[in-house]
Each structure stands twice: as structure tokens, then as C-alpha cells.
Amino acid sequence: MLYVLRRLAVSIPVLLIGTFLCFVMVANTGDPLGEIRSKPGISAAAIAETEHKLGLDQSVVARYFSWLGHFLTGDWGISIAQGNAFAPVQPKVMAAFGVTLELVLTASVLALVFGVLVGVLAAVKQYSIWDYLATTLAFLMFSMPIFCVAIVLKGYAIRANIWVRDLGLSDVLGDPWLRTTSPESLSATGVGDALAKYVGAFLLPTLSIMAITFAAYSRFQRASMLEVLSADYVRTARAKGVSNSRVIWRHAFRNALIPVMTLFSVNFGATVTGAIITETVFNWHGMGTLLVEAVNKNDPQVLMGWLVLIAASVVIANLIADLLYGILDPRIRVG
């Protein structure tokens, strides 16, 4: 419990500092009322009243603490972009975050699981055909930009939908089965129908995000596992007659997993922001679409909501990784 409290004591100040830096950067990106000022017939008094209503006539520090107080109570501000009619920011940002989180969380977990398994097997069977195949696949994924992976998958999905239709499986899997654009809804009549529609809707963008992160995890896991397998305590365990499978999974695997968990925690926030490209290719209305819209319209409250959620995702991912360190290596909790 003390270890968890120490991690929380570090994470909260980091998040506060991060939100302050984000607020300062957003406050200096331009004039949020620039579009209003450029319109003819808008009086200086009306502009001044709007500035006072939005708190833009205060210093950056005062505006930050005012924003933070409202944010912690659930008031994320209002959008001042043209056409949004001063709509609340929170529902819009949370809806977009939910869409992106569904994609990123599924892809990240699958990439971590498969990357770790492939990396362990590649290390255990070093210089075998399996190791060479895993290395080739990883380097292939590293060399391909994510938008290329997404476009290639989209092309093959169109062909796969034609095959499904020709085989008469459209009634079972849906028409089309593999969605190349974001579905409006996923209403289903049963468990099997729901599973088929879920897979068809999420498979392509999930694979696109998973491909790149899988390559990184598998290479890190292989390198970490090779280092641990050559450690003295592993050689001692083998000299005592401990079975090879027990040495690998009981003694070596847990320690070899720690660097990969560090990579996962750091990479999670980058994966969320990197989903912008995937969402654009597959027309998913998530955080990527929201960011582009907020930047183009210079909407500071939406930008702050976006940045805070990304910062919170990174901090929470690092906190979870710190807690997992204590499980994987009890010496960390003592230290």
C-alpha cells in the first residue's frame, strides 16, 4: 500500500505540471476570437464582453487556476469555434476519447501479448528459422508507415467482402463484413451476430495500430529475454537441474518483462495520438478528427480537454506500469 501511495504522490504533481504547460502553450497559439474580430459590424464592446465572459482578459496563471477549478468539478468550458454555438466541451471530447480508446486499448493489449510471446520464442530459439521470421516481420512492420498499412488492409478488406458475398455468408457476417469506414451503429440480434459485427467493424483499424507496436514489443522482448537468459542466476538454476520451461517462464520471463512494460507505458500515449492517421484513413470520428478540427478552428477549450486526456492517459499508463514492476520484481516495492 505504501508503494502505491508513493507512486500516486509522484503522478499527481506530474499531471498538474503537465496541464499547466499545456495551458500555457494553448494560450499562446493564437487569438481564439480572431475570427470574430475579423467580421464586419462587431463592436469593440461586444468583443470585450466576450473576452470577459471567457476570462480572456485575465493573466495566463489566473486563467489556468480558474480553468483547473472548473475542470475538476466537471465543467470543461465551452467551445468558441464558429458553428458550435458555445456547446459544452466535455461531452464532445469524452465521446471522441471513447471511440479512440476502444481502438487503441484493444490494439495495444493484443500487440503487447503477441509481441511478448513472439519475442520470448525468438530469444529461446535464437538463430532458428522462427527467430529469422520474427525478425523479418518486425523489421517489415517498422519500415512501413502506418498509413500504408491501413491503406493496404483497406484494399484487401474490399476483396474479402466480395468473397464473403460470393460465398453467400453475407447474411451471417453482414454486408459488408469488414468495415472500411466507421459504422453508424453495431446493433445485433444475438451473441454471434454481435461478435461478427464487432470484429468486422474493429478489425482493420485495430490491425493497423497493432502492426507497428507489435514490432517494437517483440524486438524489445527478444533483447531483454536474451540478456536475462545469460544472467548468473539463470545459469545457476539450470546447473541445479531446474527444467528449461521452468527456468524460462518462472525465473527469466518476469524480469525480462520489466523493460517491455516500460516501453508499453511510454508508448501508450503516443499510440493514442498516432491513431489520428488510422482514424483518418478509416473515417473514425475519434480524438484524431477532434484534434484536427480544434486546431483548424483555434478552439482552446477543446484543445485543453484533448491534451488533458492524453496527458492523463500517459500518467495512468506509467502508474500502472510502476505497480506492475512491484508485482514482477518484489525488490522494487521494498526499495
Side-chain angles (χ1 to χ4, degrees):
M1 180 59 69
L2 183 60
Y3 175 75
V4 175
L5 293 176
R6 287 204 306 265
R7 295 296 93 194
L8 285 173
V10 173
S11 300
I12 293 174
V14 168
L15 186 56
L16 289 174
I17 293 172
T19 58
F20 177 73
L21 294 176
C22 289
F23 191 91
V24 172
M25 288 188 291
V26 170
N28 289 279
T29 54
D31 183 8
L33 300 182
E35 192 170 346
I36 297 177
R37 297 180 196 277
S38 63
K39 288 188 175 182
I42 303 295
S43 65
I47 294 175
E49 182 181 353
T50 305
E51 285 182 333
H52 180 71
K53 179 180 178 181
L54 298 174
L56 299 176
D57 55 347
Q58 302 176 7
S59 66
V60 174
V61 176
R63 286 159 52 191
Y64 168 74
F65 283 106
S66 175
W67 168 86
L68 182 62
H70 286 88
F71 189 89
L72 293 177
T73 59
D75 179 11
W76 293 16
I78 56 177
S79 174
I80 61 175
Q82 294 296 305
N84 287 345
F86 295 97
V89 167
Q90 187 189 38
K92 184 175 184 179
V93 176
M94 290 303 297
F97 185 69
V99 172
T100 299
L101 191 62
E102 282 185 292
L103 293 178
V104 171
L105 198 57
T106 304
S108 296
V109 171
L110 289 176
L112 179 65
V113 171
F114 285 107
V116 166
L117 291 177
V118 170
V120 169
L121 292 176
V124 172
K125 300 180 180 296
Q126 188 181 18
Y127 303 132
S128 65
I129 184 64
W130 173 263
D131 186 18
Y132 288 127
L133 286 175
T135 301
T136 302
L137 178 62
F139 283 133
L140 178 64
M141 292 297 99
F142 270 131
S143 63
M144 291 185 65
I146 191 169
F147 71 87
C148 287
V149 176
I151 292 174
V152 169
L153 288 176
K154 196 171 184 177
Y156 279 106
I158 294 173
R159 298 182 183 179
N161 285 331
I162 295 175
W163 295 336
V164 168
R165 195 177 297 119
D166 292 342
L167 292 172
L169 298 175
S170 298
D171 293 337
V172 179
L173 299 176
D175 189 17
W177 174 46
L178 296 175
R179 300 275 184 168
T180 56
T181 59
S182 176
E184 295 297 330
S185 64
L186 288 176
S187 58
T189 57
V191 176
D193 187 35
L195 182 62
K197 289 185 177 180
Y198 183 87
V199 171
F202 283 85
L203 184 62
L204 299 180
T206 299
L207 285 178
S208 300
I209 299 172
M210 177 183 168
I212 307 301
T213 52
F214 159 82
Y217 296 144
S218 65
R219 300 310 296 167
F220 264 79
Q221 184 65 48
R222 179 185 182 275
S224 180
M225 195 70 181
L226 286 174
E227 183 179 354
V228 172
L229 287 174
S230 62
D232 291 338
Y233 71 90
V234 173
R235 289 200 295 266
T236 301
R238 283 176 169 162
K240 289 182 176 180
V242 179
S243 64
N244 190 48
S245 60
R246 185 175 177 82
V247 168
I248 293 171
W249 298 109
R250 179 71 175 176
H251 297 281
F253 176 69
R254 290 178 63 174
N255 287 331
L257 196 59
I258 292 177
V260 181
M261 293 309 303
T262 302
L263 176 65
F264 178 81
S265 63
V266 173
N267 197 45
F268 186 76
T271 305
V272 174
T273 55
I276 296 172
I277 299 173
T278 304
E279 290 177 2
T280 301
V281 174
F282 293 104
N283 195 30
W284 280 76
H285 303 293
M287 294 292 275
T289 305
L290 183 68
L291 176 64
V292 173
E293 179 183 326
V295 170
N296 288 336
K297 295 182 177 180
N298 194 16
D299 199 343
Q301 298 292 354
V302 175
L303 277 174
M304 276 306 302
W306 192 94
L307 289 169
V308 168
L309 284 181
I310 298 300
S313 300
V314 174
V315 171
I316 292 173
N318 279 272
L319 177 61
I320 293 174
D322 286 341
L323 299 180
L324 289 175
Y325 295 160
I327 296 174
L328 295 172
D329 189 350
R331 294 173 299 176
I332 296 176
R333 294 198 302 268
V334 176

